Amino acid sequence: KQKWLEEICRLLNYKALDDWNLGYPSFTWRITRPNRKEDFRPVHRDVWFRLCNGEKRIIDNQKSIEIQTIKLWISLHSVPGKSGLLVAPNSHKKELPGFTRVQQDGFIKPYINKDELTNIETYCLNTEPGDTVFFGEKLLHGGAPNLSNTCRISLEICLCPLTYKPLSHIKV
């Protein structure tokens, strides 16, 4: 019920996703402690999570293949140049790298095929607290290592077409 989010959704003709079938839109808090590898997520494409769950690649024929879903990544606390979002520019235009399905944390999840990462460079975006990054589900991205002395805190909201209803996440 946030006015700013309702306006973004209205302008894009999307809705906030109920990713976990809770009956209302959900979001993800990410807290990344300094110098803790286990806190940041490896590079991935968000579409892989849908594909791992047996969903179709195209969920709305009216939307571009690059933006079947859209992620909003909001920096709540970050240190420019030392913590932030890692992205691979133009990776949404390439099919490689692909992924392998793995069992982790009681779910089936995608894991990047590292041997297919040739000629793909990632960059840590220089985000300040309050900055918001919008990107489509095909962009390779992930959490950058936190090289600062404080926790990085971000909020992630996924937007999807108005008619989309996700399948339940596959539990092992």
Side-chain angles (χ1 to χ4, degrees), residues 1-150:
K1 297 291 181 187
Q2 297 293 310
K3 295 284 184 207
W4 62 271
L5 184 56
E6 287 178 348
E7 183 63 9
I8 289 170
C9 289
R10 185 187 68 73
L11 290 169
L12 296 174
N13 201 29
Y14 280 75
K15 65 180 179 180
L17 179 61
D18 176 7
D19 200 23
W20 296 94
N21 293 317
L22 300 172
Y24 49 84
S26 56
F27 56 88
T28 303
W29 292 101
R30 294 247 186 254
I31 299 174
T32 307
R33 297 169 290 181
N35 301 304
R36 298 294 292 263
K37 282 186 173 184
E38 66 272 20
D39 283 2
F40 62 91
R41 188 170 285 229
V43 176
H44 63 279
R45 300 178 201 265
D46 288 344
V47 66
W48 292 346
F49 288 91
R50 287 195 309 101
L51 297 176
C52 273
N53 284 308
E55 294 192 22
K56 297 178 191 171
R57 176 67 191 91
I58 303 295
I59 55 177
D60 186 332
N61 290 321
Q62 305 301 311
K63 308 288 185 194
S64 165
I65 194 166
E66 283 87 12
I67 56 170
Q68 291 291 300
T69 65
I70 299 172
K71 177 72 61 76
L72 278 69
W73 183 89
I74 305 167
S75 170
L76 300 177
H77 181 76
S78 60
V79 177
K82 293 192 175 196
S83 66
L85 182 66
L86 206 61
V87 298
N90 297 309
S91 59
H92 64 287
K93 298 176 184 176
K94 301 173 184 172
E95 291 306 312
L96 292 179
F99 71 96
T100 303
R101 292 168 50 129
V102 297
Q103 187 176 324
Q104 183 182 10
D105 304 324
F107 293 94
I108 300 294
K109 295 182 177 182
Y111 187 75
I112 192 165
N113 295 338
K114 289 184 179 180
D115 59 327
E116 297 173 348
L117 277 172
T118 56
N119 299 322
I120 295 177
E121 293 186 53
T122 57
Y123 302 92
C124 183
L125 297 179
N126 232 358
T127 53
E128 302 264 351
D131 287 351
T132 302
V133 180
F134 288 71
F135 56 92
E137 67 180 3
K138 283 188 66 181
L139 182 73
L140 275 173
H141 67 283
N146 183 358
L147 304 177
S148 75
N149 294 325
T150 60

